[in-house]
Amino acid sequence: MVNRNIQDLTHATAYDKNGDKLGSVKQVYINDATGQPDFVEVGHGLFGMSSSLVPLRGHQLTGEELRLSFTKDRIQDAPGINDDAHLTDEDQSVIYRHYGLEGTDNVENYDADLRDYDRDRLAGREAAGFAGGTDVTPDVTTDRRDDVDADSSLTLSEERVNVDKERVQTGAVRLRKYVVHDTETVEVPVEREEVRIERTPVDGDRAVRGGDLGEDEASVTLSEERVNVTKETVPVEEVSLHKETVRDTETVREDVAREELDVDGAVDGDVEGDPTLRR
């Protein structure tokens, strides 16, 4: 059994029990009684805009790949919880019933010491939450000055800047199709038949033989070409969305405080060379 840091979960990408990718871990919910993570909020859907709470029972974390013990359909159908910073016992019961978790145990433990982390984030103020109980309060260093006698000492403290990063959503891009109607003009050559009357005088033997008087008729069938128009839909272009990472550098400036000493009375030796000591 390998102990991992709780912070490793915040950088993980979640997959379901079948290996299908869900999305990044948005929040980690920690049980304040055990110090162990109980739930994670996992993004899914288009651009990860939807999310679900998933219990960590039966999970495995390998590198930055978090393998959960439930299918994608069950995760996406999980009930919504309104309070992102704190889960009540009733909230946890609703989630456990949805996933059917009786008798399922975790296979990994995590370092519950939060001193090296940004506790405000793990307490649900920005990117994490706690399940059950009260929030965790960060360590606070206070100025302390005791009555000083001979051979006594004071501990000096100073503030140090801890810089962390978080990934936030800044926008979304969607592709949408719509129909535009145009008019195309096509010239198509067509043919048709017409009647032309020719009159030819009768002469020679036919004129000598004569003819018969009476009624008679003759007919001819005319035809023409007509244009039939049909339409078909064909693919002409494929458009895809791709993300790329652009790296910049930001400068952070913060005021910090430190403690110095004032020396009252006679002091053996030279204290002028120590910038933290003043008479």
Side-chain angles (χ1 to χ4, degrees), residues 56-86:
L56 284 173
R57 292 187 182 179
H59 78 284
Q60 288 183 314
L61 180 63
T62 305
E64 294 187 354
E65 180 177 315
L66 173 61
R67 181 68 63 90
L68 301 169
S69 56
F70 313 99
T71 63
K72 179 186 290 188
D73 291 340
R74 175 165 288 194
I75 292 173
Q76 292 177 342
D77 293 338
I81 302 298
N82 293 328
D83 193 346
D84 293 335
H86 189 92

Side-chain angles (χ1 to χ4, degrees), residues 86-101:
H86 189 92
L87 295 181
T88 64
D89 292 341
E90 182 179 354
D91 293 335
Q92 297 178 61
S93 298
V94 170
I95 298 173
Y96 285 143
R97 281 197 302 269
H98 172 77
Y99 288 98
L101 281 177

Side-chain angles (χ1 to χ4, degrees), residues 5-74:
N5 289 328
I6 295 175
Q7 198 175 36
D8 294 339
L9 288 170
T10 65
H11 304 302
T13 300
Y15 296 81
D16 76 346
K17 65 182 299 184
N18 299 320
D20 293 334
K21 183 177 180 180
L22 294 167
S24 60
V25 174
K26 293 186 174 182
Q27 298 192 71
V28 179
Y29 288 79
I30 302 173
N31 190 307
D32 59 347
T34 64
Q36 294 299 310
D38 281 350
F39 303 92
V40 290
E41 181 181 358
V42 175
H44 56 75
L46 182 64
F47 302 110
M49 298 183 66
S50 301
S51 62
S52 298
L53 286 182
V54 187
L56 284 173
R57 292 187 182 179
H59 78 284
Q60 288 183 314
L61 180 63
T62 305
E64 294 187 354
E65 180 177 315
L66 173 61
R67 181 68 63 90
L68 301 169
S69 56
F70 313 99
T71 63
K72 179 186 290 188
D73 291 340
R74 175 165 288 194

